[in-house]
Amino acid sequence: MANRGYDVVVDVDAEGDLGHTDLQEDLEFHSSNFDDTPHPRAKNPPSGLPFPATTSTPSGLGSSKRYLWTLSFYAQFFDVDTAEVLRRCQTSLYPRSNFLDILDGNPDLYGPFWIATTVVMILFLTGTISSYLAGRSEKHFEYDFRLLSGAAGLVYGYTGVIPIALWGVLRWSGSEGASVLECWALYGYANLIWIPVALISWSPVTVLNWVFVGVGFAVSGLFLIRNLWPVVSATDARTSRILLLVVIGLHAGLALAIKILFFAHGSPATKKATGAEDDGKMIRSLFGL
């Protein structure tokens, strides 16, 4: 019986005398639960989202409270190691499964932030090289730091604002397949392809630049569509088609802005205005460049 897991319960009288105890009537056996192990996910939070900032976390899961003005509140969005970030970067370039499944309920902002920052710096450097090659006839070359502010506004704005708008539309449409953090992570890791594109798109050969930017648009666009389709398809057919068209259109706008504003050797964006402003200068003015 010991191997079957039983508890032995003996009824003892008030005097504690076992001599008058009838074991035939007072001996009982109950099923034991000593060998039951807790479920491996019992200590995990019920969902992949962080706990509210104004509530206490369950016992055994960490500190007591997290407020918006404390570092611990923001630290939970960067709780990821280097190996996991590299794995997610590899998945964004060579997708084999849905990226939301790769996140496994733990989206991070560490990778998206540094990817966006790297893209901004490389766009500034290679855009400066492209401008230098376009104006080599000039005796004195001046750095245009408006390229840096323009790159920051373009990349951070696109990566930060578009996911929030998409998440809001999805919630309004009744789809809850992705949280706002997952949308941020999805768009953030989609920017990874622009790092190699920016490194090779400073060539004075305009056709090659268009090809490189087109490849970046295709890779990142397919990555977004592939991973957003299961979420968007939860809405009605008309809304899902409109959302996908908007996502593709905005992403195409990002690719065109990168090409025209930073790698426009021989394009209207690098020509100087003679008399009246040309089309390239008008485009730069729209982005504050």
Side-chain angles (χ1 to χ4, degrees):
M1 289 187 296
N3 293 332
R4 296 181 59 184
Y6 286 100
D7 296 332
V8 178
V9 180
V10 180
D11 188 9
V12 183
D13 55 13
E15 290 78 9
D17 185 6
L18 290 175
H20 301 286
T21 302
D22 188 355
L23 295 180
Q24 295 293 335
E25 297 179 357
D26 297 334
L27 188 62
E28 300 177 3
F29 294 92
H30 299 276
S31 298
S32 172
N33 57 358
F34 291 158
D35 295 331
D36 294 342
T37 58
H39 195 275
R41 300 182 61 183
K43 295 183 178 180
N44 294 334
S47 64
L49 295 176
F51 293 101
T54 57
T55 59
S56 300
T57 57
S59 58
L61 289 177
S63 58
S64 56
K65 293 184 179 181
R66 293 171 178 171
Y67 297 96
L68 287 173
W69 55 85
T70 61
L71 290 177
S72 60
F73 176 80
Y74 299 97
Q76 60 186 325
F77 305 137
F78 297 83
D79 187 16
V80 65
D81 55 15
T82 304
E84 181 62 22
V85 171
L86 293 177
R87 186 174 74 94
R88 295 178 179 184
C89 289
Q90 181 181 5
T91 305
S92 66
L93 295 178
Y94 305 100
R96 297 182 179 179
S97 59
N98 190 283
F99 190 73
L100 297 181
D101 295 335
I102 299 297
L103 294 178
D104 195 22
N106 183 33
D108 71 285
L109 298 182
Y110 181 87
F113 172 77
W114 285 112
I115 289 174
T117 303
T118 305
V119 172
V120 168
M121 296 304 300
I122 294 179
L123 283 178
F124 169 67
L125 294 176
T126 54
T128 301
I129 294 175
S130 180
S131 298
Y132 172 77
L133 294 177
R136 283 184 297 178
S137 59
E138 299 179 0
K139 295 182 179 180
H140 179 68
F141 176 77
E142 295 182 358
Y143 290 94
D144 189 358
F145 286 96
R146 291 177 298 177
L147 287 174
L148 180 60
S149 60
L154 178 65
V155 176
Y156 287 135
Y158 178 81
T159 309
V161 176
I162 301 301
I164 296 178
L166 176 63
W167 172 77
V169 174
L170 290 174
R171 290 295 300 267
W172 177 77
S173 303
S175 175
E176 299 182 358
S179 65
V180 64
L181 290 178
E182 289 173 333
C183 291
W184 266 329
L186 185 63
Y187 270 81
Y189 282 100
N191 289 331
L192 183 65
I193 187 60
W194 294 116
I195 295 179
V197 168
L199 288 173
I200 60 179
S201 294
W202 55 268
S203 169
V205 182
T206 305
V207 176
L208 283 179
N209 292 343
W210 279 110
V211 171
F212 295 149
V213 173
V215 171
F217 166 72
V219 172
S220 54
L222 289 176
F223 173 77
L224 289 175
I225 294 174
R226 170 174 178 167
N227 294 284
L228 284 177
W229 173 248
V231 180
V232 173
S233 60
T235 62
D236 59 273
R238 182 173 178 271
T239 303
S240 61
R241 287 194 297 267
I242 293 176
L243 283 177
L244 285 181
L245 290 176
V246 171
V247 168
I248 296 173
L250 291 174
H251 202 63
L254 173 68
L256 288 175
I258 290 176
K259 171 62 181 71
I260 295 175
L261 298 176
F262 302 97
F263 309 117
H265 181 84
S267 71
T270 57
K271 293 180 181 178
K272 290 187 177 295
T274 57
E277 292 186 347
D278 57 4
D279 295 336
K281 194 164 186 178
M282 180 183 65
I283 295 176
R284 286 176 176 268
S285 64
L286 290 176
F287 286 88
L289 299 177

